[in-house]
Amino acid sequence: MLPAFGYDYVPGFLAGSLALDRAGEAARALDIGYFADGPLRRGISQGTRATMRDGLTLSSPRRHRRRLVEERTASRVRGFSVHGRRRKAFLVSGTEVLFLPGTFPALEDITVYNGWFPEFSRPLSLLSAVANTATRLPGGRALTGLLTRPLLLGPPGGPDAALRAQIPSYVVAVASSGVPGSAPLAEVHLEGPNPYSLTGELMAWAAEHLSTRPAFAPGVIGPTEAFGPDTLRRACAEVGLRTV
């Protein structure tokens, strides 16, 4: 079983693995940021908007000091360099925190961020705090629904092929020593097809690959464990995910 084998979170595994390989043995922390360019207000599906809305009241796993901990979604905001510009992103869940330590056991901290709407990262952090507090009050669920209703605004369904072509995906992985204020040891940037298109291509590749070749390991595993780093890199290149 390969959980979340798509735009989230295969690019993070690839970018993170490349960054950690470049950083060497000194790497102890990894930050991964997911971004997308273009007209995102019209370019995400109603299902994605609902998932983002519901996720604000759910905790997000994070690896901290070699332990898996849960923190409030959007409780952390971090800046990443994207196309030479600094863009903010907020804490979200990601399967990288579960599986990358198996390949890189020296890792002490792994944090995953979403930067689709960088200008709203700080407001969403505040909204998340309010929503989480409200859910613990009488009638809080109804209040939370009212507070987060704007996130569901937009047309039903998802973006068509023409709109998807205008919104490429972008992922950044930053490996560091984990010491506050220290410079990154390595940074990898990946760019690829639209998140929805990329997810479809990756899932199709995995289905074909698994139907003709045995997986590298049984059970619930990450993409690197399933296919090996070299095969995963070639697969990502085949579907248009490349370093920039």
Side-chain angles (χ1 to χ4, degrees):
M1 180 178 289
L2 297 166
F5 196 88
Y7 164 79
D8 41 1
Y9 298 92
V10 173
F13 276 91
L14 177 60
S17 297
L18 292 173
L20 292 168
D21 284 340
R22 295 179 187 181
E25 297 180 357
R28 294 292 181 272
L30 181 69
D31 289 338
I32 300 169
Y34 284 84
F35 298 87
D37 292 323
L40 270 178
R41 292 179 186 276
R42 296 182 295 113
I44 59 176
S45 70
Q46 193 171 78
T48 298
R49 292 194 296 273
T51 299
M52 293 177 67
R53 189 276 305 270
D54 295 342
L56 288 177
T57 57
L58 299 175
S59 58
S60 290
R62 176 175 175 258
R63 184 172 174 86
H64 180 56
R65 297 179 180 176
R66 298 180 181 270
R67 296 179 58 192
L68 191 64
V69 299
E70 291 189 346
E71 298 187 6
R72 175 174 55 82
T73 296
S75 60
R76 295 175 181 269
V77 175
R78 188 198 193 282
F80 290 86
S81 176
V82 178
H83 293 306
R85 298 176 58 188
R86 202 70 176 168
R87 293 177 59 174
K88 288 184 171 60
F90 60 86
L91 171 70
V92 294
S93 62
T95 54
E96 294 96 332
V97 306
L98 303 177
F99 300 120
L100 272 178
T103 307
F104 300 94
L107 270 177
E108 297 179 358
D109 293 83
I110 308 174
T111 312
V112 182
Y113 297 85
N114 181 288
W116 279 17
F117 300 99
E119 66 275 19
F120 295 122
S121 290
R122 292 290 183 191
L124 281 172
S125 181
L126 177 60
L127 178 60
S128 171
V130 173
N132 276 269
T133 300
T135 56
R136 295 192 289 268
L137 300 174
R141 289 291 175 184
L143 177 60
T144 300
L146 183 63
L147 288 171
T148 58
R149 184 177 299 167
L151 296 179
L152 294 179
L153 295 178
D160 59 20
L163 188 54
R164 291 198 305 273
Q166 302 176 43
I167 310 173
S169 58
Y170 197 98
V171 179
V172 185
V174 182
S176 68
S177 65
V179 177
S182 61
L185 297 173
E187 191 166 328
V188 170
H189 297 240
L190 301 179
E191 190 171 36
N194 176 269
Y196 296 109
S197 301
L198 180 60
T199 295
E201 292 287 351
L202 286 169
M203 292 181 69
W205 176 87
E208 191 279 331
H209 193 88
L210 290 172
S211 70
T212 57
R213 304 171 184 85
F216 284 15
V220 180
I221 53 180
T224 304
E225 296 171 281
F227 303 112
D230 293 336
T231 299
L232 181 65
R233 291 172 189 177
R234 288 195 298 270
C236 289
E238 288 176 13
V239 300
L241 191 62
R242 58 186 179 85
T243 56
V244 292

